[in-house]
Amino acid sequence: MSRLGDIPIRIERPDFAAMAGTIGGGVTAILAEIAALLDRLAAGDEPQAIDLKSLPMNPGDREQLIEALGSGEVAITLYADGESTIRETGVHGVWWTEHRDGDGEVTAAFIEIARVPGILIVDSDELQRGAERLRSAIGATRSSE
Amino acid sequence: MNTVATAGAAAAVKTAFDRQGALGEDARVDRAMAGFACDFGALSALRLESCIHCGMCADACHFYIATEDPQYTPIWKVEPFKQAYKRESGPFAPLFRLFGFKRKLTADELGQWQHLLFDSCNLCGRCSLICPMGIDVAALIEQARHAMFEAGLAPKELYEKAAHQKRTGQPEDSAEPYRDKLLAIGRSHGVDIPLDKPEADVMLTVPRTDIEHYPEAVAALARVMSHMNVSCTFRSDGLVAENYAYYAGGREWQRDISRRLIEQALACKVKVLIVPECGHAYSALRWEAAELYGRPLPFKVRHITEYLAAQLDAGKLRLRQAANGVSTFHDPCQLVRKGGVTESPRKLLRAMGVELRELDDHGAFAFCCGGGGGVLDIQRAAPLRYRAMESKLREVDQTGAQTFLTSCSDCRRTFDDGKRHFNWDKTPQSLLELIADHLGSAQEARS
Amino acid sequence: MPEYQARQTIGELLDRQGISRRAFIKYCTAMASLMALPPLAGRAMAEQLRAARRPSVIYLSFQECTGCLESLTRSFSPSIENMIFNVISLDYDDTLMAAAGHRAEAARDQAMKANYGKYLVVVDGSVPTADGGIYNCAAGRTAVDILTETAKGAAAIVCVGTCSSFGGIPFADPNPTGARPVSDLIGDKPIINVSGCPPIPEVITGTLLQFVTTGQVPDLDEHRRPKVFFGNTIHDRCYRRPFFDQGKFAKTFDDEGARNGWCLFELGCKGPTTYNACATTKWNGGTSFPIESGHPCLGCSEPGFWDKGSFYAALSTGTFGRAGNLTPRDAAKLGGAAAATGIAVAAGATALARHRRKVRMTDIQTADTQKEE
Amino acid sequence: MDLLQFARGPALKFALIVFCFGVLWRLTAVFLLRHERTLSEPRHPVFRALMGGLLAAGSRSAPHREFIRRTGYSEALGYSYHIGLFVVVLAFGPHIAFLKSLFGVSWPALPNNLVTVIAALTLTLMLAVLLRRLTHRVLRLLSNFDDYFSWFITALVIVTGLMASTHFGAPYEQLLAWHILSFDALLVWFPFGKLMHAFYIFPSRAINGYALARKGASV
């Protein structure tokens, strides 16, 4: 299936760059919220996230936000039913996460305020299943010997 | 009148009112309402329809300003008639009657309004000037007076004078008839009184007030006319300028009284009928007589100051300089605000070199003396009238003028009455008398 | 239906299919975002779902155009829809299922028997009731009949699309088939309306997912729509809202305002009164939504959307008659006729007033004459 | 049919019919009453009297200087809320769309936030007007049902409009329905109460002004 972006059409759009900060100008508000969430995380609260899809932002705002946060030291690519990218921004503990499906369409995008992005953490079930899998692999090797 | 009832308390504290005739209560109310409705034309309807109850007219009325009593709000004075209009001839009158939205008043309630329509309204028209909707409130009050008269609810003084004048031509009995009094004034002041000439250019009339109270003003009129060498005459059967039926609200009587003068003027084929120094006489003759008479008048009606100013322009009236110090002038409402005779008195004063210092509220915005509209003749209204005139007297004092002039003998008598009541140190003087005292020589007049 | 499938938890099924826990968390995160939940709630949801058992779903199609099902299956994010078939057990859908005729009907009977009281019924299309319901029959039975029977053992009914939710296009005046929404016919079961013509695919899957996750009917609005998707109007969330607030409106489809992307209110946008997730979830995998492509919202997820006047007349204007909007010409006709009547009545009232005046004046004059005599 | 449908459909239609019918009834009934002939010699020729009428139509918009000290406050209050009403009615986008559907003409709108602020101010001023009517001895005496009801219905339209535009208290479509319904009610009441002054004000000033000016009296 061809992607929508592959279809050669011209979309007339308003000049969002010129509009940035003038309308929908919530960039400052988002930065303030991130700062508050960092404080709470440091104080021992649970990690939090800001959903980027539900904010009525225009591309101009988005670019401003990216620019304001800057880029950091860690970049993670998750290969699970489509590629997801998790990048630490210039601010430690602030992660820019974008989940994509098999077609490369963004299904979720959010800023996570956490020491480590939650999705990376492996849970106990998986550890056990992993261990079982290794043991059964060992058993198979032994039996084949 | 400190015990004037506010409308809210009207039921508790009733003011006395006069009645005429032996009508039953219902008939009285019915006549009032019919009288009002019958008078109704599109213009009056527009006036009543337009009112937005903003209350600003209160701020123009000297009775309200002096007492701060809301019942003296000018438009409130026609309230029962506003209701009558809605019932009788308003656009939704059939609905109002069908659903009984507006109840009829009782004769007693209507009687309470006698105080508001007669005792506390000079028909001075200042409220008509403040109204943001442009409503001529004074015209409505005049109309309401007609209805009150129809219902036999006019103040007795006004009713009696009107009745007398309708019957005899003069508003009250006098020891000798006004005709004889007039001639006597001529004799005692050494002026020739032209009387009952078969033909003349100008017919003169005289205020009953001047005959009774200011004979020198009558003499002044004759002297000024003779100075100008105008062919003029008084008429025995049409002497009195005032029209008491106009005050009392008797429309038909007013017509009869005016007709007496009109017929005399027609008889001697005059070009001009002169209204002497009397404001209401001017309104009645200048603006209402033709309508009541039923056709345009073939002669002009002019106030004496108006006439003299024109003669001054024509070079027929020559005046000497008057050395009477700083003067101030009271603008009679009917002449100035309601009649447009504003410039004439000032022109005459300038011609005599009088230094005029205007009142704070002058010209169209002058306050009424408090005596207009027949109020001066209503005995019981005197206390309220005094309260209303206090600020006027203060305004006069504030000018610092030595001479206080006016050109209406009723205003003059009101001020004289106030002078006695308040021990005021000023004496109102007649502009006409001042002119008569400063006529140039015949030589000057001709050159 | 194989027994083992029904007893399996979703987690077990996912594991068997090699779908990793992280992949499932991603999916649930996207869903949480759709439902306006915090994105991190996706993790908790994933855990809950993995432990849940797949419910049996019976999908009934009545008076409909299949647009809703198209919407669900022709999504640009097929992985999400693949996922949904892992989360539910779609046991009957006469459009999608391979079986036909009595075999298909037998599948429905079997699913109903096996899961009586627990299965979910999804209804697509309105139900015609006129003339004994003959306008929609399958296997010799009317839609009313099938619906009533299937609904009896349902845990809940999910109405997909405006037709089953509110009647939709078949319900539009004059409604020749007597089309009714499901809620008019079924009174004793929880009903969840997922309206829209068609509904957003993510909203359909999200609603089902939420039901599976919690096993409960979600919070509904007064039209029984899940509040998480239908809690805001299009207008509330519209990226053109700032232009509305600035009073900048496109007046035609090709004017400067339209090119500048100004608010489409005056072109008839029903965004302010339409509750749906278009402005945030968007369509075609989040590509766009009607307003973004320059067309006003039609209000398709609202009851009676077909009978609310022109799609292209502003909301603040009057609607007159069937699907008609007030025009200056109507207004002139209407106002003119009313005014003319007003004048006529006034003439009557005035004539009456004049007549009464004459009568009363005569009365008074007579009375006066008598008195004088 | 939901409430909004009712409000902008049959109710609006009914209201517009009553409005046109009632306004014309009321205006015509006044106009058709007896027209008194004036026979007295006018002081000024007709043309000058007519100019006087026109002058009065305009000049009464501001009080004569002599009265300002006593009426300035009422004038200022009256002016400010009337201006507010005009701005809110004529400069709000959705209202313009409505007027366009009636008259076929439109004009640019003011920013909604600005209009909302003006509406709130106007409402505040109207409360001040009501307070004055309730406390001022003259106004209290003069006021009747019409005064209070006309105030109420105008304020109601503003309140519901404000609620609708700020989405306060209920779903928008309900608020909009109430706003339109209250406007419908205002249209129905209009011809029967003092709101008619909108139609009477200029004719009243002009005709009375003419009658005064022909006498040379002050306008």
Side-chain angles (χ1 to χ4, degrees):
Chain A
M1 193 191 301
S2 64
R3 302 259 315 275
L4 192 77
D6 305 334
I7 303 171
I9 54 165
R10 189 171 70 92
I11 303 171
E12 285 191 27
R13 276 172 179 273
D15 183 2
F16 284 116
M19 280 157 47
T22 56
I23 61 164
V27 175
T28 329
I30 295 170
L31 291 175
E33 194 186 341
I34 292 173
L37 292 176
L38 282 169
D39 285 343
R40 282 170 53 186
L41 185 66
D45 264 16
E46 289 290 303
Q48 298 288 335
I50 296 169
D51 193 345
L52 290 167
K53 277 191 105 178
S54 65
L55 294 173
M57 278 204 307
N58 62 51
D61 286 341
R62 198 182 183 86
E63 276 152 27
Q64 274 196 354
L65 188 60
I66 291 172
E67 203 175 311
L69 288 170
S71 58
E73 299 160 337
V74 187
I76 299 161
T77 307
L78 192 70
Y79 301 95
D81 196 30
E83 282 185 21
S84 296
T85 52
I86 304 169
R87 287 195 185 87
E88 195 183 27
T89 66
V91 185
H92 293 300
V94 179
W95 304 84
W96 190 290
T97 303
E98 277 180 5
H99 290 316
R100 287 167 201 281
D101 62 14
D103 291 331
E105 296 291 341
V106 176
T107 59
F110 53 92
I111 295 170
E112 189 170 353
I113 292 90
R115 293 173 195 270
V116 177
I119 197 164
L120 299 180
I121 300 168
V122 179
D123 78 349
S124 312
D125 272 2
E126 282 176 302
L127 295 177
Q128 273 173 9
R129 270 204 300 278
E132 275 167 24
R133 204 178 120 193
L134 289 179
R135 282 192 196 103
S136 63
I138 295 165
T141 321
R142 279 195 186 140
S143 62
S144 71
E145 277 171 1
Chain B
M1 186 144 309
N2 296 325
T3 55
V4 167
T6 59
V13 190
K14 282 186 180 158
T15 43
F17 59 90
D18 302 331
R19 289 167 213 249
Q20 292 88 36
L23 286 172
E25 296 293 274
D26 283 350
R28 225 177 258 284
V29 174
D30 207 39
R31 284 200 145 217
M33 296 306 148
F36 193 70
C38 288
D39 241 7
F40 247 83
L43 183 56
S44 319
L46 184 63
R47 285 169 182 148
L48 285 185
E49 291 284 346
S50 303
C51 179
I52 51 168
H53 290 174
C54 73
M56 282 192 199
C57 46
D59 287 309
C61 180
H62 45 298
F63 288 105
Y64 172 76
I65 293 173
T67 62
E68 302 247 301
D69 184 339
Q71 66 169 334
Y72 296 132
T73 304
I75 198 70
W76 180 251
K77 295 173 186 171
V78 295
E79 182 64 19
F81 300 98
K82 223 171 174 178
Q83 306 301 342
Y85 160 75
K86 286 185 183 168
R87 270 184 61 86
E88 300 297 338
S89 42
F92 307 127
L95 295 181
F96 274 109
R97 288 196 299 272
L98 190 64
F99 297 113
F101 283 151
K102 299 277 175 224
R103 70 182 179 90
K104 282 191 185 178
L105 292 163
T106 65
D108 214 37
E109 283 172 302
L110 207 51
Q112 298 303 310
W113 252 269
Q114 195 178 91
H115 172 68
L116 299 181
L117 286 167
F118 292 93
D119 304 9
S120 61
C121 178
N122 298 118
L123 301 176
C124 83
R126 203 165 183 266
C127 47
S128 308
L129 215 49
I130 203 172
C131 177
M133 296 297 288
I135 301 168
D136 189 345
V137 188
L140 287 173
I141 292 182
E142 215 179 288
Q143 219 158 354
R145 282 193 180 189
H146 302 159
M148 293 292 274
F149 181 88
E150 289 297 330
L153 289 170
K156 67 174 189 301
E157 296 92 337
L158 300 185
Y159 182 86
E160 281 161 10
K161 286 199 166 79
H164 206 282
Q165 189 176 9
K166 190 225 171 213
R167 215 168 44 243
T168 67
Q170 56 182 69
E172 68 235 302
D173 283 325
S174 53
E176 43 178 342
Y178 285 169
R179 175 185 184 279
D180 298 346
K181 277 196 171 184
L182 181 67
L183 292 172
I185 290 169
R187 280 193 301 277
S188 62
H189 286 78
V191 282
D192 183 35
I193 301 285
L195 185 65
D196 292 332
K197 288 198 211 160
E199 274 192 32
D201 288 342
V202 175
M203 177 172 145
L204 301 171
T205 56
V206 64
R208 162 247 166 221
T209 309
D210 283 357
I211 295 249
E212 295 284 357
H213 301 277
Y214 305 115
E216 57 280 17
V218 182
L221 175 62
R223 192 174 299 129
V224 172
M225 294 308 285
S226 107
H227 159 83
M228 292 184 302
N229 243 336
V230 179
S231 144
C232 60
T233 182
F234 289 99
R235 298 285 290 191
S236 305
D237 290 332
L239 264 185
V240 177
E242 285 103 324
N243 192 326
Y244 270 89
Y246 172 75
Y247 294 149
R251 212 55 177 156
E252 308 219 333
W253 292 6
Q254 183 186 341
R255 185 191 60 208
D256 293 347
I257 292 167
S258 288
R259 185 150 59 195
R260 197 188 290 266
L261 293 185
I262 292 167
E263 275 163 7
Q264 289 301 312
L266 292 175
C268 56
K269 301 188 182 64
V270 293
K271 296 193 187 78
V272 180
L273 172 66
I274 290 215
V275 180
E277 290 193 308
C278 178
H280 287 278
Y282 185 72
S283 280
L285 282 169
R286 180 73 174 84
W287 307 120
E288 296 190 5
E291 277 79 3
L292 288 173
Y293 187 61
R295 44 179 185 274
L297 304 179
F299 50 84
K300 294 181 189 313
V301 177
R302 291 292 178 267
H303 187 256
I304 184 69
T305 48
E306 217 176 350
Y307 183 77
L308 291 181
Q311 296 300 313
L312 188 71
D313 284 343
K316 284 196 153 187
L317 176 66
R318 279 291 163 136
L319 294 172
R320 285 185 286 116
Q321 295 295 297
N324 61 341
V326 177
S327 302
T328 192
F329 181 74
H330 163 70
D331 290 287
C333 314
Q334 301 298 322
L335 294 177
V336 178
R337 177 162 43 243
K338 294 177 81 178
V341 188
T342 318
E343 237 341 270
S344 306
R346 288 171 173 79
K347 182 182 269 180
L348 292 165
L349 287 170
R350 272 197 302 277
M352 289 184 287
V354 173
E355 186 192 341
L356 177 65
R357 194 168 295 162
E358 296 282 14
L359 296 166
D360 267 358
D361 299 289
H362 62 273
F365 300 95
F367 277 108
C368 176
C369 59
V375 176
L376 182 58
D377 291 281
I378 304 172
Q379 291 296 316
R380 59 168 191 241
L384 179 62
R385 179 162 62 77
Y386 291 136
R387 277 184 77 178
M389 81 184 301
E390 272 181 55
S391 67
K392 181 86 199 185
L393 301 187
R394 218 170 288 127
E395 269 195 15
V396 175
D397 283 340
Q398 274 161 8
T399 61
Q402 286 100 24
T403 316
F404 175 42
L405 295 160
T406 187
S407 56
C408 168
S409 50
D410 274 332
C411 297
R412 185 183 184 186
R413 191 157 70 89
T414 307
F415 284 118
D416 259 339
D417 182 65
K419 173 188 161 87
R420 273 191 297 280
H421 180 82
F422 291 106
N423 278 323
W424 197 36
D425 61 353
K426 299 212 170 37
T427 306
Q429 292 179 23
S430 149
L431 173 61
L432 179 60
E433 283 177 39
L434 187 72
I435 290 168
D437 288 345
H438 295 87
L439 294 170
S441 66
Q443 197 83 43
E444 286 172 281
R446 257 181 238 115
S447 61
Chain C
M1 186 175 61
E3 277 288 299
Y4 74 88
Q5 257 188 344
R7 288 204 306 269
Q8 241 175 358
T9 64
I10 293 167
E12 282 161 5
L13 186 72
L14 291 173
D15 286 343
R16 177 161 319 160
Q17 297 191 352
I19 295 171
S20 77
R21 182 178 148 272
R22 285 207 183 96
F24 195 59
I25 290 177
K26 264 177 72 172
Y27 168 60
C28 290
T29 302
M31 276 301 152
S33 165
L34 273 184
M35 294 179 214
L37 295 170
L40 299 190
R43 260 157 65 199
M45 192 166 138
E47 297 310 331
Q48 258 178 308
L49 266 178
R50 285 175 68 84
R53 291 177 197 283
R54 297 167 70 216
S56 166
V57 171
I58 296 172
Y59 195 112
L60 300 176
S61 301
F62 297 132
Q63 203 161 229
E64 46 91 27
C65 68
T66 317
C68 299
L69 196 59
E70 290 284 348
S71 168
L72 182 61
T73 55
R74 297 280 177 90
S75 162
F76 274 80
S77 304
S79 64
I80 290 187
E81 276 59 53
N82 287 345
M83 206 67 85
I84 193 73
F85 295 122
N86 292 324
V87 170
I88 61 170
S89 165
L90 187 60
D91 294 333
Y92 177 87
D93 183 325
D94 53 12
T95 312
L96 292 182
M97 67 201 307
H102 66 267
R103 283 195 178 179
E105 297 310 306
R108 184 173 63 94
D109 290 343
Q110 198 188 353
M112 281 168 62
K113 256 183 227 134
N115 304 288
Y116 199 80
K118 286 181 284 189
Y119 60 83
L120 209 55
V121 176
V122 177
V123 184
D124 178 6
S126 63
V127 187
T129 58
D131 304 321
I134 56 159
Y135 297 107
N136 186 289
C137 294
R141 302 174 64 194
T142 64
V144 181
D145 205 9
I146 297 170
L147 175 67
T148 323
E149 188 195 73
T150 317
K152 267 185 199 142
I157 300 174
V158 177
C159 294
V160 166
T162 300
C163 294
S164 53
S165 299
F166 308 128
I169 293 177
F171 182 78
D173 191 75
N175 190 0
T177 65
R180 318 290 306 167
V182 171
S183 54
D184 275 11
L185 300 168
I186 306 296
D188 56 351
K189 294 287 172 187
I191 293 176
I192 305 166
N193 288 330
V194 184
S195 62
C197 190
I200 303 170
E202 287 84 348
V203 172
I204 306 175
T205 52
T207 303
L208 291 174
L209 196 62
Q210 198 183 21
F211 185 81
V212 177
T213 314
T214 61
Q216 281 173 348
V217 174
D219 259 5
L220 303 178
D221 72 2
E222 54 170 358
H223 296 304
R224 307 198 209 193
R225 296 176 295 196
K227 277 188 184 164
V228 289
F229 301 112
F230 296 90
N232 289 307
T233 63
I234 304 296
H235 187 66
D236 286 335
R237 290 289 168 135
C238 181
Y239 75 107
R240 296 197 189 205
R241 176 65 183 269
F243 291 115
F244 177 84
D245 291 338
Q246 288 168 23
K248 289 179 174 167
F249 299 98
K251 310 269 178 190
T252 64
F253 281 104
D254 56 356
D255 69 357
E256 193 59 27
R259 275 191 287 278
N260 288 338
W262 288 357
C263 177
L264 300 168
F265 182 89
E266 290 189 16
L267 285 169
C269 185
K270 304 295 181 286
T273 57
T274 304
Y275 291 79
N276 208 339
C278 303
T280 41
T281 305
K282 302 194 181 174
W283 287 80
N284 301 321
T287 304
S288 173
F289 72 114
I291 291 170
E292 203 167 348
S293 44
H295 195 281
C297 169
L298 302 179
C300 74
S301 58
E302 292 301 309
F305 88 102
W306 207 255
D307 292 323
K308 289 183 172 176
S310 167
F311 289 148
Y312 301 102
L315 256 180
S316 58
T317 61
T319 57
F320 284 160
R322 286 183 184 176
N325 273 80
L326 184 61
T327 62
R329 179 191 281 241
D330 293 337
K333 265 196 233 160
L334 198 73
T341 322
I343 291 171
V345 172
T350 325
L352 185 63
R354 284 184 171 212
H355 172 72
R356 283 171 58 85
R357 171 176 170 266
K358 207 185 256 172
V359 170
R360 300 186 83 159
M361 271 178 106
T362 323
D363 284 354
I364 287 172
Q365 271 159 6
T366 321
D368 284 347
T369 327
Q370 281 166 351
K371 201 168 62 186
E372 274 165 30
E373 282 163 2
Chain D
M1 181 179 293
D2 58 27
L3 196 61
L4 178 58
Q5 281 310 100
F6 175 73
R8 59 193 283 245
L12 179 63
K13 192 171 180 177
F14 174 77
L16 284 171
I17 289 173
V18 171
F19 176 80
C20 292
F21 170 75
V23 165
L24 262 292
W25 177 0
R26 188 151 168 200
L27 287 177
T28 315
V30 168
F31 178 77
L32 287 181
L33 283 171
R34 201 162 43 90
H35 286 258
E36 288 140 78
R37 276 198 303 162
T38 45
L39 298 169
S40 56
E41 177 209 352
R43 178 179 297 279
H44 296 309
V46 178
F47 176 74
R48 225 180 124 181
L50 282 174
M51 292 310 288
L54 283 180
L55 176 72
S59 70
R60 289 290 173 98
S61 299
H64 288 292
R65 197 171 37 81
E66 286 78 358
F67 296 127
I68 286 181
R69 201 172 48 80
R70 290 194 67 95
T71 64
Y73 177 70
S74 338
E75 291 269 355
L77 204 57
Y79 255 101
S80 43
Y81 89 82
H82 274 89
I83 290 171
L85 283 177
F86 277 112
V87 170
V88 172
V89 170
L90 297 178
F92 184 57
H95 294 167
I96 296 172
F98 173 74
L99 294 170
K100 188 186 175 191
S101 76
L102 282 187
F103 303 112
V105 287
S106 74
W107 49 88
L110 281 183
N112 290 6
N113 293 342
L114 181 62
V115 176
T116 306
V117 170
I118 292 172
L121 278 176
T122 306
L123 189 63
T124 317
L125 287 164
M126 280 191 71
L127 285 172
V129 167
L130 179 66
L131 196 68
R132 186 172 153 81
R133 194 168 274 288
L134 287 168
T135 54
H136 191 283
R137 44 163 81 90
V138 168
L139 291 172
R140 207 171 46 209
L141 178 65
L142 291 182
S143 301
N144 55 17
F145 172 78
D146 181 7
D147 294 300
Y148 293 114
F149 190 70
S150 298
W151 180 93
F152 169 76
I153 203 136
T154 312
L156 188 69
V157 176
I158 302 181
V159 168
T160 53
L162 265 173
M163 287 173 74
S165 68
T166 55
H167 297 214
F168 179 80
Y172 176 75
E173 67 276 9
Q174 265 176 42
L175 296 170
L176 182 63
W178 283 113
H179 180 54
I180 296 179
L181 272 180
S182 58
F183 173 66
D184 293 343
L186 181 136
L187 280 183
V188 170
W189 172 247
F190 197 103
F192 303 98
K194 71 186 287 197
L195 297 175
M196 271 300 282
H197 75 273
F199 287 98
Y200 281 132
I201 184 163
F202 292 110
S204 170
R205 286 175 180 178
I207 293 169
N208 277 302
Y210 168 80
L212 292 173
R214 77 173 283 285
K215 295 199 284 185
S218 305
V219 298

